[in-house]
Structures are given as C-alpha cells and as structure tokens.
C-alpha cells in the first residue's frame, strides 16, 4: 500500500484552520441565532470589515472564492460586457469559465508582465474592443493582488491602472484571494490597497489564510451594493446559518490575526526561496514577494521533489514548480524540505 506525499508546500488551500477560528466557530454554535445574516455576529463582522476598508464598504460574505469572483463581477457587468484581466489570472485560467457561464460576459486575457497587467496592454485591448457592432462592451478591469506569479502591484501601479480604467469608463475589480499577504508584504492597510487606490469591488479571501471557508465581496459604490443581496441569493451563496461565516471573520480581524498569519506565511516563503536559490541546478523564476515560490529545476528532479512534497508543476516545458507556504508552515519543515532537495544536487 502506498501513501500520499505530504502536502506541506502544495497550496495554502491545503493547510488547516487556525485554532482561533475554530474556537470562534464553537462559540457561536452554543445557541440559536437568526438566519441569513440578520444575526448579531454578522453585524459585528461587518463592522470589523468597515474598520479596515472604510465606513462606506458594503460586505457580502460567501463560501467560495469562485462564487466571490463571479458575484463581484456580476455586480458590475452584463452579458454584453467584456472583462479584461491578466492572461494567467485565476479568473481567466482556473474558474472553469464560471463568470462567462453565470453572467454571459466575455473574459479577455491581457499579456502579463510577471503576472501583472500593464497600462500599455490595457490600452491596446481597449482600442481593439471599440467596434460596437461585433465586440463586447469594454466594462471591467480585473486585477489580482497578489498575482498568480506571487508578484505585487505597488500602490503607484494600482492607482495608475485604476485611473486609466476609470478614464476609459471601466469599473475595477480586485481579486484579493491573497490580499492579506499583499498587505503584509507592502506594509499597507487594506483600505489603501482597495478603496483608496480606486478599486470599485473586491473579492476578499480568507480561506487561504487560516479560515475554514469564508470569502467576501466588498463593494464601495452604494448603487452597486444595492444589487448584491438579490445577486447573492440568486447565486446560491446566501448562507442560512450565516453566523458561521461571520464568526470566521470575527476571529480573523481580532488582534490582527489576518496580518499575523500572512506575515508568517510570507516569511516562510522568503526562507524557502533563500534555501532553494542556494541549491546548484535550481533557479528561482519569479520574485518571491508573498507566500509563493517559483523555481525551475532539472526535469529529472520533478518527480523526487513531488515525492517530498506535493507541489504544482506550473510549466511542464521548463520544469517550473510552484511552492506555497501557509500560516502553519514551520521553519523546521522548510529546512527539512530544502535539505532533502539539496541532496538531489549532491
């Protein structure tokens, strides 16, 4: 009988749930409460969100990241619209065309520089999309922070892109599945990376950073927010026992657990990157800015490394691997993996 390889560096989705989150879930399980978000726990969680994103932020908690992205885009698009995003964005590559299926809109992938959309690429796409008879109406720019390559937009880059998008009549969506890691790396408040940077609607992730299953659509426009209650219900994401979503975020924001978890995961990635960069034959292929490390390795190393820890074969043609650290990754586990990987070069 064979055993599965460890999932130490497979994904931050593979990690467990932070004990503080489990304790808060247990606490709200002690009594009955109103359903569908009309409970006190949800009200408190919404206030915690607003403390970080602004008093005018409207919060809509959901269970999955795909639903979060679809509902966020549905608030600002119709079936005749086009959504521009990076050509390696999770939205574009790994959502099984959920936005296009649910909304009818068209996703248009833009050539990305280390995962990031550039103003020039957006301008070229907008020029091509101008035919009003045969092409979808240009409507939304979707940015990922951090990107699928673990890279980050600086505050200046974000502001430049949102200004350009707004000048061209676009709304701006931010896929923030790892926004906590980005905020930790940039030393910036969540509001500075979203509302103050000109973002219109955010998909804010928690599952990858220590929650059980909780994401949130955050809307900064009152008119758009007015559509969301019905969209969430129609989209099958209004949880009846909503307090269990809210409880996760109450724990997340208490004592900045979200930030402590993200900082730790980022530190573990930096440690892993430093150790792997020192191994002859292994080449880091992207900057390590959050909790993801990308490395090209000799082809015959792929299978042995995946036996050490399940990891994503990002680009098979170049034997590029992706390693992801989590809130519960330890220094000892990083060093043990790096030592074993280094033995391949011996």
């Amino acid at each position: 009988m064979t055993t599965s390889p460890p999932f130490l560096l497979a994904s931050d989705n593979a990690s467990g749930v932070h004990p503080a989150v489990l304790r808060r879930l247990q606490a709200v399980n002690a009594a009955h409460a109103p359903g569908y978000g009309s409970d006190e726990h949800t009200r408190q969680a919404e206030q915690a969100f607003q403390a970080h994103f602004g008093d005018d932020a409207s919060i809509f908690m959901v269970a999955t990241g795909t639903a979060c992205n679809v509902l966020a885009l549905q608030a600002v698009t119709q079936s005749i619209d086009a959504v521009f995003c990076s050509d390696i964005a999770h939205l574009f590559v790994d959502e099984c065309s959920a936005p296009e299926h649910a909304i009818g809109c068209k996703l248009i992938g833009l050539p990305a520089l280390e995962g990031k959309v550039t103003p020039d690429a957006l301008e070229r796409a907008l020029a091509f999309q101008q035919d009003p008879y045969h092409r979808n109406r240009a409507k939304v720019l979707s940015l990922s922070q951090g990107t699928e390559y673990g890279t980050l937009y600086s505050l200046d880059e974000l502001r430049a892109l949102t200004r350009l998008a707004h000048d061209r009549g676009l709304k701006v969506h931010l896929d923030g599945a790892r926004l906590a890691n980005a905020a930790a790396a940039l030393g910036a408040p969540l509001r500075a990376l979203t509302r103050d940077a000109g973002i219109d609607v955010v998909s804010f992730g928690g599952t990858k950073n220590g929650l059980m299953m909780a994401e949130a659509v955050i809307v900064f426009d009152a008119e758009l927010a007015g559509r969301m209650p019905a969209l969430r219900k129609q989209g099958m994401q209004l949880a009846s026992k909503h307090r269990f979503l809210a409880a996760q975020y109450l724990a997340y924001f208490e004592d900045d657990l979200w930030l402590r978890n993200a900082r730790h995961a980022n530190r573990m990635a930096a440690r892993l990157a430093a150790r792997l960069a020192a191994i002859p034959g292994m080449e880091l292929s992207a900057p390590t800015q959050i909790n993801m490390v990308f490395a090209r390795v000799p082809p015959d190393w792929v299978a042995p490394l995946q036996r050490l820890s399940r990891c994503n074969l990002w680009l098979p043609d170049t034997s590029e691997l992706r390693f992801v650290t989590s809130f519960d990754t330890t220094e000892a586990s990083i060093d043990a993996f790096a030592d074993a990987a280094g033995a391949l070069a011996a």
Side-chain angles (χ1 to χ4, degrees):
M1 183 170 122
T2 60
T3 58
S4 298
F7 288 83
L8 167 71
L9 301 170
S11 171
D12 36 15
N13 287 322
S15 65
V17 179
H18 194 281
V21 176
L22 290 174
R23 288 193 295 270
R24 187 58 70 97
L25 285 167
Q26 184 63 43
V28 304
N29 194 46
H32 286 209
Y36 302 107
S38 57
D39 59 283
E40 180 63 19
H41 308 291
T42 296
R43 187 188 67 81
Q44 292 174 1
E46 289 171 347
Q47 290 176 339
F49 270 100
Q50 289 171 339
H52 287 280
F53 289 95
D55 292 340
D56 58 347
S58 297
I59 315 301
F60 303 92
M61 286 169 261
V62 299
T64 75
T66 299
C68 197
N69 278 335
V70 169
L71 290 172
L73 290 176
Q74 201 166 14
V76 292
T77 57
Q78 300 177 44
S79 61
I80 61 173
D81 293 332
V83 177
F84 302 100
C85 58
S86 159
D87 60 3
I88 66 166
H90 190 87
L91 186 73
F92 189 68
V93 177
D94 293 312
E95 300 279 26
C96 196
S97 68
E100 290 160 311
H101 171 73
I103 306 168
C105 63
K106 182 177 181 61
L107 301 183
I108 297 177
L110 306 182
L113 181 62
E114 292 185 335
K116 296 193 291 186
V117 171
T118 65
D120 285 347
L122 179 58
E123 289 275 29
R124 287 194 297 272
L126 287 170
F128 181 78
Q129 209 65 23
Q130 284 181 349
D131 184 338
Y133 298 104
H134 304 291
R135 299 189 183 124
N136 294 72
R137 180 177 63 172
K139 188 64 175 179
V140 178
L141 171 63
S142 179
L143 304 172
S144 301
Q145 181 77 315
T147 73
E148 287 300 291
Y149 246 127
T151 52
L152 298 175
Y153 294 94
S154 69
L155 283 171
D156 287 343
E157 288 173 325
L158 273 181
R159 293 186 189 114
L161 282 165
T162 57
R163 279 196 302 269
L164 173 60
H166 290 155
D167 287 347
R168 301 296 188 272
L170 307 183
K171 296 292 187 181
V172 184
H173 163 250
L174 186 74
D175 183 346
R178 295 186 176 92
L179 185 58
N181 301 90
L186 293 170
L190 292 169
R191 175 170 169 160
L193 290 171
T194 55
R195 183 192 182 281
D196 294 349
I199 305 299
D200 296 295
V201 58
V202 179
S203 302
F204 182 64
T207 307
K208 297 180 188 298
N209 195 35
L211 301 191
M212 179 179 288
M213 52 180 72
E215 317 286 317
V217 180
I218 304 172
V219 185
F220 299 109
D221 180 288
E223 182 180 353
L224 297 178
R227 303 184 61 199
M228 281 301 302
L231 289 173
R232 180 171 58 172
K233 179 65 175 180
Q234 189 181 70
M236 299 169 282
Q237 284 293 311
L238 178 60
S240 57
K241 296 184 180 180
H242 195 280
R243 69 187 185 276
F244 292 100
L245 293 177
Q248 295 176 67
Y249 276 113
L250 285 172
Y252 200 52
F253 289 122
E254 187 173 25
D255 297 326
D256 282 340
L257 178 65
W258 68 274
L259 184 58
R260 290 186 281 117
N261 282 357
R263 282 173 173 166
H264 176 81
N266 290 356
R267 282 197 301 270
M268 293 302 99
R271 186 182 187 91
L272 176 64
R275 290 294 312 272
L276 296 185
I279 297 174
M282 189 172 283
E283 175 194 2
L284 298 185
S285 50
T288 301
Q289 295 183 299
I290 53 172
N291 63 321
M292 296 194 284
V293 179
F294 292 81
R296 297 188 189 96
V297 303
D300 58 347
W301 289 18
V302 172
L305 286 170
Q306 290 190 319
R307 285 194 292 271
L308 293 173
S309 173
R310 187 74 60 82
C311 55
N312 184 271
L313 181 55
W314 188 255
L315 291 176
D317 290 349
T318 57
S319 302
E320 185 176 20
L321 298 172
R322 184 192 75 165
F323 306 95
V324 187
T325 55
S326 305
F327 77 93
D328 55 358
T329 305
T330 65
E331 291 184 359
S333 63
I334 291 293
D335 291 343
F337 175 82
D339 288 344
L344 296 173

